C-alpha cells in the first residue's frame, strides 16, 4: 500500500542544518525545563507517599476538600482534578506514607463528607515508602540505560559486523557504572556521564551506525521527558514503559532507513553519500508514514477515550512517535554524513 509515489525525491539532506538547529533547540529547552523544575515531577511510584482517588456525585470545590483534609492531619496534601470535569473525581497526594488500611480511608471519607456535605467514594489508595520509591527510580534509570546500550550492540553487529568490539565497549561501560554505583555516586549523573562517554567512544571507534541510532534515541527520550516537565505532568512507572516503547519504535524506524542505505551503498557506490542517504529516506518514506499514521491513530484513540489512568501514558507515546519518526530521518541518518566530512578532514 503506497500513499506516496515511488519516484518521489524530496531533498531531506539539504535541510539537515535547519533540522539540527531545531533538534538542539528542543533538547536545550527540555534540559532547561528539567533544571528549572529540579528534574521531572515524580509521581508516587518514585517519590514515595500516599495517593487517594475520590469521586463525588456532584461538583465540589477544591478548597472544601482541603478543609476536610486539614481535620485529619493532611494539611500539606495536594488536590488535583482527575479526568473530565463532569466526572467530579480528584486525586489527593501527600508525601507521607500513611498506609491504606480501613481506618485511614474511613477517616478521610468521614472528613470529606463533613466538609463538602456530599457522599464521597474512595476509589483507590496507593502507598509507596520512600526507600521503595528510590529503588524504583534507580531501576527505571538503569532499565533505560541498558536498553540503549544493548541496542547499540545490535546495531553495530548487524550493520558493521563489529559484535565483539561493541560488546567489549558495552561491558566496560556497564562495569564502570556498577563500580561507581557501589560508591553511592548519583545515579542520574552517573548514567548521563556514561551515555556521553558512549557517544565519544563510538565516534573514535567509528561505530557510525550505532552512534547514529543512540544519538537519535537519546534525542527522543530527552525531548519526551522535557515536554512532560514543561507541561508539569507526573513521571510514573507507566511513563517508563512508554519511554521504552518509544525507544523500540524509534529504533524500528531507524533500522528501516539504515537497511536501505546499506543496500544502496552497494548498488549506487559511485554516487555521493549524501545522494544515497537522501534516496534511501525517500524510498522508505511511504512505509515510515504509513507505520506512523496507523500507530498514531491507535494512540490518539487511547488518549481521548482511555480515561485518566492511561492519559499520560498515551500522551508520552504520541510525543514519542512524532519525535521518533522525525529523528530517524533528520537525526540518525544525517549523522552518517559526519563520517564523510571527518574522512575529508583527515
Amino acid at each position: 500500500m503506497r500513499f506516496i509515489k515511488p519516484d518521489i525525491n524530496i531533498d531531506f539532506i539539504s535541510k539537515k542544518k535547519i533540522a539540527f538547529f531545531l533538534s538542539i533547540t528542543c533538547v536545550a529547552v527540555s534540559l532547561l525545563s528539567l533544571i528549572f523544575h529540579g528534574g521531572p515531577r515524580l509521581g508516587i511510584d518514585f517519590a514515595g507517599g500516599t495517593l487517594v482517588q475520590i469521586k463525588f456525585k456532584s461538583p465540589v470545590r477544591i478548597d472544601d476538600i482541603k478543609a476536610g483534609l486539614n481535620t485529619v492531619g493532611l494539611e500539606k496534601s495536594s488536590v488535583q482534578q482527575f479526568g473530565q470535569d463532569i466526572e467530579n473525581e480528584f486525586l489527593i497526594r501527600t508525601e507521607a506514607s500513611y498506609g491504606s488500611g480501613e481506618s485511614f480511608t474511613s477517616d478521610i471519607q468521614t472528613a470529606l463528607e463533613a466538609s463538602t456535605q456530599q457522599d464521597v467514594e474512595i476509589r483507590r489508595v496507593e502507598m509507596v515508602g520512600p526507600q521503595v520509591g528510590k529503588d524504583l527510580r534507580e531501576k527505571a534509570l538503569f532499565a533505560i540505560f541498558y536498553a540503549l546500550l544493548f541496542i547499540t550492540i545490535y546495531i553495530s553487529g548487524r550493520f558493521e559486523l563489529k559484535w565483539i568490539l561493541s560488546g567489549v565497549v558495552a561491558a566496560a561501560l556497564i562495569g564502570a557504572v556498577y563500580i561507581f554505583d557501589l560508591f553511592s555516586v548519583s545515579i542520574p549523573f552517573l548514567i548521563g556521564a556514561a551515555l556521553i562517554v558512549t557517544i565519544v567512544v563510538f565516534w573514535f571507534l567509528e561505530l557510525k551506525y550505532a552512534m547514529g541510532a543512540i544519538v537519535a534515541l537519546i534525542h527522543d527520550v530527552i525531548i519526551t521527558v522535557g515536554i512532560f516537565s514543561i507541561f508539569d505532568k507526573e513521571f510514573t512507572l507507566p511513563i517508563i514503559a512508554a519511554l521504552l516503547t518509544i525507544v523500540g519504535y524509534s529504533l524500528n524506524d531507524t533500522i528501516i532507513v539504515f537497511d536501505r542505505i546499506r543496500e544502496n551503498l552497494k548498488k549506487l557506490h559511485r554516487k555521493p553519500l549524501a545522494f544515497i542517504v537522501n534516496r534511501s529516506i525517500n524510498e522508505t518514506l511511504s512505509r515510515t508514514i504509513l507505520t506512523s499514521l496507523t500507530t498514531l491513530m491507535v494512540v490518539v484513540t487511547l488518549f481521548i477515550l482511555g480515561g485518566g489512568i492511561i492519559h499520560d501514558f498515551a500522551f508520552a507515546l504520541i510525543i514519542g512517535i512524532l519525535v521518533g519518526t522525525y529523528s530517524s530521518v533528520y537525526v540518525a541518518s544525517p549523522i552518517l554524513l559526519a563520517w564523510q566530512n571527518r574522512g575529508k578532514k583527515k
Side-chain angles (χ1 to χ4, degrees):
M1 184 177 181
R2 286 184 178 272
F3 287 107
I4 299 175
K5 295 179 180 179
D7 58 344
I8 191 171
N9 186 27
I10 302 173
D11 193 359
F12 290 102
I13 297 303
S14 66
K15 306 295 189 299
K16 67 177 182 179
K17 291 184 179 179
I18 298 174
F20 278 154
F21 176 77
L22 177 62
S23 293
I24 291 172
T25 302
C26 290
V27 170
V29 170
S30 298
L31 292 176
L32 287 174
S33 176
L34 289 168
I35 293 171
F36 178 78
H37 289 102
R41 185 162 71 94
L42 301 177
I44 297 295
D45 297 337
F46 298 130
T50 305
L51 179 144
V52 183
Q53 181 181 343
I54 57 177
K55 180 178 176 63
F56 296 92
K57 291 183 179 179
S58 57
V60 298
R61 296 191 312 150
I62 289 181
D63 289 341
D64 292 337
I65 297 175
K66 288 184 175 180
L69 294 174
N70 291 341
T71 63
V72 290
L74 298 177
E75 297 88 354
K76 297 183 179 180
S77 301
S78 65
V79 181
Q80 177 185 2
Q81 192 155 14
F82 183 71
Q84 299 180 2
D85 295 343
I86 59 173
E87 294 175 348
N88 301 314
E89 293 192 40
F90 297 87
L91 289 179
I92 301 169
R93 294 181 177 87
T94 178
E95 294 181 359
S97 303
Y98 288 100
S100 56
E102 290 185 6
S103 60
F104 175 71
T105 55
S106 62
D107 289 345
I108 290 181
Q109 186 171 10
T110 302
L112 291 178
E113 287 177 350
S115 64
T116 61
Q117 301 301 312
Q118 288 193 41
D119 292 335
V120 59
E121 177 188 352
I122 307 293
R123 310 207 75 177
R124 64 178 167 127
V125 178
E126 296 179 3
M127 187 276 290
V128 177
Q131 185 58 45
V132 174
K134 179 184 177 182
D135 291 342
L136 288 174
R137 187 165 63 245
E138 293 179 356
K139 288 178 180 178
L141 289 171
F142 279 125
I144 295 174
F145 173 66
Y146 291 144
L148 293 175
L149 213 54
F150 289 132
I151 281 170
T152 57
I153 296 175
Y154 170 74
I155 294 291
S156 297
R158 174 167 177 175
F159 292 98
E160 300 170 297
L161 300 179
K162 295 180 180 179
W163 292 100
I164 297 177
L165 179 60
S166 59
V168 169
V169 172
L173 287 168
I174 292 173
V177 168
Y178 176 76
I179 291 172
F180 280 107
D181 183 37
L182 295 177
F183 292 96
S184 300
V185 178
S186 171
I187 300 300
F189 172 80
L190 182 59
I191 291 179
L195 289 174
I196 293 173
V197 171
T198 301
I199 294 173
V200 173
V201 170
F202 284 177
W203 173 263
F204 283 104
L205 294 179
E206 298 191 3
L207 299 173
K208 50 185 178 291
Y209 286 97
M211 182 175 175
I214 196 170
V215 169
L217 295 177
I218 293 172
H219 166 276
D220 300 344
V221 170
I222 289 176
I223 291 178
T224 304
V225 175
I227 290 176
F228 262 69
S229 175
I230 291 169
F231 285 95
D232 199 29
K233 288 183 172 292
E234 274 196 346
F235 210 75
T236 58
L237 280 175
I239 305 307
I240 295 297
L243 290 178
L244 293 174
T245 304
I246 290 167
V247 166
Y249 180 88
S250 178
L251 178 67
N252 178 63
D253 254 359
T254 302
I255 286 177
I256 290 171
V257 177
F258 279 1
D259 258 335
R260 189 55 57 91
I261 291 174
R262 183 176 59 175
E263 293 172 3
N264 286 335
L265 279 171
K266 297 176 182 177
K267 295 190 296 183
L268 307 170
H269 58 276
R270 295 181 182 273
K271 297 287 186 179
L273 182 58
F275 174 86
I276 294 173
V277 171
N278 199 73
R279 176 74 173 271
S280 302
I281 295 172
N282 278 279
E283 289 177 352
T284 57
L285 190 61
S286 177
R287 180 175 177 179
T288 298
I289 292 177
L290 182 61
T291 303
S292 299
L293 284 178
T294 52
T295 309
L296 201 59
M297 287 171 60
V298 175
V299 177
V300 169
T301 303
L302 281 176
F303 180 77
I304 297 172
L305 304 176
I309 297 294
I310 205 171
H311 185 270
D312 287 350
F313 175 80
F315 179 74
L317 288 180
I318 290 173
I319 301 302
I321 290 170
L322 295 175
V323 176
T325 303
Y326 162 85
S327 68
S328 64
V329 174
Y330 280 116
V331 178
S333 301
I335 283 178
L336 298 179
L337 296 174
W339 262 266
Q340 185 184 46
N341 297 331
R342 183 187 180 194
K344 288 179 180 178
K345 289 179 182 180
K346 285 184 177 180

